[in-house]
């Protein structure tokens, strides 16, 4: 009997000891992870990270470091710092707006940023709409520079892609009722990326959506926040299941005027005139959009911001999309109701001419006479 009881006690105690050891190991790992986030980072010496640059897609491949900066409800941001990429402590009742910009590598290895100050201003405008404090332009740009430099080995070789940089502003303090957060956190992280669309630089096939709308007058369609993008997911998923690249959305009132695609602005070419929907609060004011408009004007095109009727789109010579993620992407076909229209594409297209100039400036192969590019090393 004594031996049986002794054996039973051992069978109960051993698993307990094992679980305790497991918990101790887990706690030690968490403590090390937390310590790693607090420690001043030592940047990697390798020129490049271990990445297959030739097959780089547009997905999250976390680079080494991110930038974190806190703000109390008084609206003053503390001094931010670079830390190892990792999870953060966050209240479950948090919300966010975000930006997207890129770092490019020149042939000589130097890193370039493209108009990050414009992303900073757009975040400020979005934060004002959402009643949030926001970093100053200098704070924003400095954070982006630090993040890009800290992750320089993750910037693809010239022509192989870019380092996508995601500045994120979120309410991180707890709140139950409807009102501003008592605390905010600003984070900048990065990921190397290739082409946004699976088609690469091949022409896109778009579908004009008539059931769902992306934004409404007086809403947050002009703000780069999750409230701007979540509404497109259902229509986008349905379109992709039917073989389309993306969705073109119409205005929410008459459903006859073009707005934008799920993640990019749209341009319509007819002869020497390039039209794009006006930013009236329902359309995001893209930095790439603005840049392409200026490049097109420099090349002698008449660039018009206006309400673009869907019939004009179906009668256009060319259609193309612009955005930080997508760059300048040609549209091969658009399907509206029971009609499918094909558009001009190729090396001699307006889209390709504008894209060549934009990419040349971004990557340093064309002289930047506009002051758009910032060299960070």
């Amino acid at each position: 009997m004594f031996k049986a009881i002794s054996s039973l006690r051992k069978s109960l105690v051993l698993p307990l000891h094992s679980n305790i050891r497991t918990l101790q190991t887990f706690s030690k790992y968490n403590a090390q992870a937390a310590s790693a986030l607090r420690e001043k980072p030592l940047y990697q010496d390798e020129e490049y990270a271990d990445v297959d640059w030739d097959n780089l897609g547009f997905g999250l491949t976390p680079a080494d470091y991110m930038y974190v900066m806190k703000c109390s409800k008084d609206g003053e941001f503390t001094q931010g710092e670079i830390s190892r990429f990792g999870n953060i402590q966050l209240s479950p009742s948090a919300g966010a707006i975000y930006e997207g910009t890129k770092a490019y590598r020149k042939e000589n290895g130097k890193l370039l940023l493209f108009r990050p100050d414009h992303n900073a201003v757009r975040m400020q405008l979005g934060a004002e709409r959402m009643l949030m404090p926001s970093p100053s332009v200098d704070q924003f740009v400095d954070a982006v520079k630090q993040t890009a430099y800290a992750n320089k080995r993750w910037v693809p070789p010239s022509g192989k892609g870019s380092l996508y940089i995601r500045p994120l502003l979120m309410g991180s303090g707890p709140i139950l009722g409807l009102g501003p957060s008592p605390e905010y956190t600003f984070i900048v992280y990065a990921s190397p990326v290739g082409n946004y669309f699976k088609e690469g630089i091949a022409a896109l096939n778009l579908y004009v959506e008539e059931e769902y709308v992306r934004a409404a007058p007086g809403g947050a369609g002009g703000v780069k926040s999750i409230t701007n993008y979540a509404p497109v997911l259902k229509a986008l998923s349905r379109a992709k299941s039917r073989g389309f690249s993306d969705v073109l959305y119409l205005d929410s009132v008459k459903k006859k005027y073009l707005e934008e695609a799920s993640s990019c602005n749209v341009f319509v070419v007819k002869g020497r005139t390039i039209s794009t929907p006006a930013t009236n609060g329902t359309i995001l004011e893209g930095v790439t959009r603005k840049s392409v408009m200026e490049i097109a004007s420099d090349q002698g095109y008449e660039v018009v911001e206006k309400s673009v009727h869907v019939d004009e789109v179906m009668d256009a010579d060319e259609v193309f999309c612009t955005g930080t993620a997508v760059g300048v992407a040609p549209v091969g076909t658009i399907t509206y109701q029971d009609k499918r229209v094909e558009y001009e594409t190729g090396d001699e297209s307006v889209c390709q001419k504008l894209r060549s100039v934009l990419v040349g400036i971004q990557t340093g192969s064309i002289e930047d006479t506009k002051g758009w590019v910032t060299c960070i090393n």
Side-chain angles (χ1 to χ4, degrees):
M1 175 67 72
F2 178 78
K3 289 182 177 180
I5 292 174
S6 178
S7 177
L8 177 62
R9 289 178 62 187
K10 287 181 179 179
S11 67
L12 292 174
V13 171
L14 285 175
L16 177 61
H17 286 171
S18 177
N19 288 337
I20 289 174
R21 284 196 298 271
T22 300
L23 289 172
Q24 288 173 337
T25 302
F26 182 72
S27 297
K28 181 180 180 181
Y29 170 79
N30 279 346
Q32 289 174 342
S35 176
L37 284 175
R38 290 193 299 268
E39 290 176 358
K40 186 176 180 61
L42 298 175
Y43 299 156
Q44 301 293 328
D45 293 330
E46 296 93 339
E47 183 177 4
Y48 288 107
D50 184 15
V51 174
D52 182 2
W53 302 113
D54 292 324
N55 294 295
L56 186 62
F58 200 96
L60 179 60
T61 305
D64 297 315
Y65 305 105
M66 63 184 187
Y67 183 97
V68 182
M69 182 166 62
K70 292 279 189 178
C71 175
S72 61
K73 62 183 179 180
D74 62 8
E76 292 296 324
F77 279 87
T78 59
Q79 178 64 42
E81 61 181 14
I82 289 290
S83 65
R84 282 279 188 178
F85 181 91
N87 293 338
I88 61 172
Q89 289 186 332
L90 183 66
S91 168
S93 53
I97 63 175
Y98 63 93
E99 276 298 321
T101 186
K102 287 180 177 179
Y104 302 87
R105 192 183 293 269
K106 293 181 67 173
E107 288 287 352
N108 63 8
K110 291 187 177 181
L111 306 185
L112 302 176
L113 294 173
F114 185 73
R115 310 188 81 175
D117 54 323
H118 285 252
N119 295 96
V121 171
R122 188 170 63 180
M123 175 169 276
Q124 288 182 332
L125 295 174
E128 181 183 13
R129 174 65 176 82
M130 297 300 188
L131 204 60
M132 301 169 71
S134 61
S136 68
V137 172
D138 287 343
Q139 285 177 319
F140 182 103
V141 173
D142 180 63
V144 170
K145 286 181 178 179
Q146 288 193 50
T147 306
Y149 184 77
N151 296 298
K152 60 183 178 180
R153 74 192 191 107
W154 291 90
V155 183
S158 182
K160 300 289 186 180
S162 58
L163 184 70
Y164 191 89
I165 300 173
R166 171 58 52 81
L168 179 70
L169 176 64
M170 66 178 74
S172 51
I175 184 170
L176 180 62
L178 182 62
S181 172
E183 180 194 76
Y184 296 88
T185 299
F186 177 69
I187 295 175
V188 186
Y189 64 92
S191 171
V193 296
N195 291 309
Y196 181 80
F197 290 108
K198 67 179 182 180
E199 292 88 347
I201 59 174
L204 307 176
N205 300 307
L206 305 183
Y207 174 79
V208 178
E209 176 62 44
E210 293 186 275
E211 179 181 1
Y212 297 107
V213 296
R214 181 187 151 274
V223 177
K224 195 170 179 65
S225 72
I226 192 60
T227 60
N228 194 347
Y229 291 90
V232 311
L233 296 178
K234 189 168 186 177
L236 177 60
S237 177
R238 183 172 64 179
K240 287 189 173 182
S241 70
R242 297 174 180 174
F244 295 100
S245 310
D246 204 344
V247 173
L248 281 177
Y249 293 90
L250 300 176
D251 72 288
S252 62
V253 179
K254 297 183 179 180
K255 292 190 176 181
K256 290 294 182 184
Y257 294 94
L258 202 63
E259 294 254 295
E260 61 178 271
S262 300
S263 58
C264 45
N265 299 116
V266 62
F267 287 81
V268 177
V269 181
K270 187 68 174 180
R272 296 289 298 179
T273 300
I274 302 177
S275 303
T276 190
T279 54
N280 54 11
T282 61
I283 297 173
L284 192 68
E285 296 192 27
V287 177
T288 308
R289 172 186 180 273
K290 183 187 301 184
S291 305
V292 166
M293 290 172 63
E294 188 168 335
I295 292 171
S297 294
D298 291 344
Q299 294 190 356
Y301 292 97
E302 180 185 6
V303 181
V304 181
E305 292 183 86
K306 65 170 188 174
S307 296
V308 181
H309 198 281
V310 67
D311 289 345
E312 294 181 58
V313 180
M314 304 306 285
D315 187 46
D317 299 328
E318 284 185 48
V319 177
F320 61 88
C321 297
T322 65
T324 298
V326 306
V328 183
V331 175
T333 71
I334 291 179
T335 299
Y336 173 53
Q337 296 179 345
D338 59 350
K339 186 178 181 181
R340 180 184 177 95
V341 176
E342 295 186 1
Y343 301 95
E344 297 175 14
T345 59
D347 293 340
E348 298 303 315
S349 65
V350 175
C351 169
Q352 182 57 34
K353 293 175 182 177
L354 299 178
R355 179 182 181 277
S356 295
V357 175
L358 178 69
V359 172
I361 295 174
Q362 290 173 330
T363 59
S365 63
I366 293 178
E367 182 184 1
D368 174 27
T369 60
K370 299 177 178 294
W372 287 353
V373 171
T374 300
C375 185
I376 59 174
N377 61 338

